Amino acid sequence: AQTVTQSQPEMSVQEAETVTLSCTYDTSESDYYLFWYKQPPSRQMILVIRQEAYKQQNATENRFSVNFQKAAKSFSLKISDSQLGDAAMYFCAYRSALGNNNDMRFGAGTRLTVKP
Amino acid sequence: EAGVAQSPRYKIIEKRQSVAFWCNPISGHATLYWYQQILGQGPKLLIQFQNNGVVDDSQLPKDRFSAERLKGVDSTLKIQPAKLEDSAVYLCASKPTSGDYNEQFFGPGTRLTVL
């Protein structure tokens, strides 16, 4: 079964600085999708960025970018120019691209604090 | 576009009582998910519907949990009877049938406290 590991329960960053959140996963599949979701105190899960495993180019979305290392099964999230509104729980997630089973496997999350 | 709606936002019950949660997905979304998120953990899938049919309920504790999506739109998740370990946030998510098919859209969740 696929597992997702986020080894940093908490991270802190100064406003306007850059922070990297780590994520590793375990799978025997070659085709899959990876996601980073943000969950603020309102509990609404918001998609931050996603990566298709067959794409070598790292995904970017404004101040958010990923470092996808397929061989190492690593998928880290970099947040540049951190803002106070970035403070939230961040979840890394894996989904197989095979079949109809869209079971999303989530990591335990990293709580990001942004200091003014 | 309206998002995924869930109610209630909060619910407190005593153990052995019953509780039901409601979810209204984004209009036109054929796929609907219920997740359980225990404090300090990531969400865990309970059940997945495609229209009104169940695709995956392998992680649903069927002795006490049930879910339905009778007309392929709204869905309800029921717990009967509740246990202390059922205290969690229950998230509903939906996915469109076309377009950006990889993204799941989440509702705000229902926080259940079992005393």
Side-chain angles (χ1 to χ4, degrees):
Chain A
Q2 297 83 12
T3 58
V4 178
T5 302
Q6 293 179 250
S7 59
Q8 306 154 317
E10 296 184 359
M11 289 287 283
S12 179
V13 64
Q14 204 72 32
E15 192 176 8
E17 297 294 310
T18 295
V19 65
T20 298
L21 308 184
S22 301
C23 173
T24 59
Y25 57 94
D26 184 28
T27 184
S28 59
E29 298 176 338
S30 60
D31 197 11
Y32 49 86
Y33 304 98
L34 297 165
F35 305 82
W36 278 98
Y37 276 90
K38 171 185 177 181
Q39 187 178 43
S42 66
R43 299 198 304 263
Q44 190 103 26
M45 297 279 278
I46 303 165
L47 179 65
V48 174
I49 199 166
R50 69 175 185 180
Q51 175 84 39
E52 288 92 337
Y54 65 86
K55 291 186 177 179
Q56 293 184 336
Q57 185 173 6
N58 288 326
T60 62
E61 194 72 40
N62 299 317
R63 297 182 295 106
F64 299 87
S65 62
V66 298
N67 183 3
F68 173 47
Q69 301 289 327
K70 191 173 184 179
K73 297 179 182 175
S74 171
F75 183 61
S76 61
L77 174 70
K78 185 172 80 172
I79 306 174
S80 304
D81 186 25
S82 296
Q83 300 175 0
L84 296 178
D86 294 334
M89 285 291 292
Y90 285 82
F91 291 95
C92 178
Y94 169 104
R95 182 197 295 158
S96 172
L98 303 176
N100 293 321
N101 187 346
N102 301 130
D103 185 6
M104 186 100 77
R105 301 295 176 105
F106 288 86
T110 296
R111 181 176 301 281
L112 178 65
T113 303
V114 181
K115 298 179 180 178
Chain B
E1 175 179 77
V4 176
Q6 289 188 249
S7 68
R9 291 296 307 274
Y10 303 90
K11 189 72 177 180
I12 301 174
I13 62 173
E14 295 191 350
K15 61 182 179 183
R16 291 188 288 274
Q17 285 187 323
S18 301
V19 65
F21 313 127
W22 173 81
C23 172
N24 181 236
I26 293 173
S27 178
H29 283 197
T31 308
L32 185 147
Y33 308 83
W34 281 103
Y35 289 88
Q36 179 192 58
Q37 186 178 16
I38 293 173
L39 185 65
Q41 299 181 18
K44 183 188 80 172
L45 180 71
L46 290 175
I47 189 167
Q48 175 189 341
F49 291 95
Q50 181 72 21
N51 296 309
N52 60 351
V54 176
V55 174
D56 182 3
D57 64 355
S58 57
Q59 300 186 80
L60 186 74
K62 298 181 186 64
D63 57 334
R64 298 183 301 106
F65 286 64
S66 64
E68 60 183 13
R69 194 184 183 201
L70 292 176
K71 296 182 179 180
V73 181
D74 293 7
S75 177
T76 56
L77 176 69
K78 296 179 181 178
I79 308 175
Q80 180 179 7
K83 292 185 176 182
L84 296 177
E85 58 261 35
D86 298 332
S87 293
V89 173
Y90 290 84
L91 295 167
C92 179
S94 69
K95 188 166 69 68
T97 56
S98 61
D100 188 352
Y101 62 89
N102 290 322
E103 180 177 356
Q104 295 182 15
F105 295 84
F106 285 82
T110 297
R111 181 180 297 278
L112 173 67
T113 302
V114 182
L115 303 176

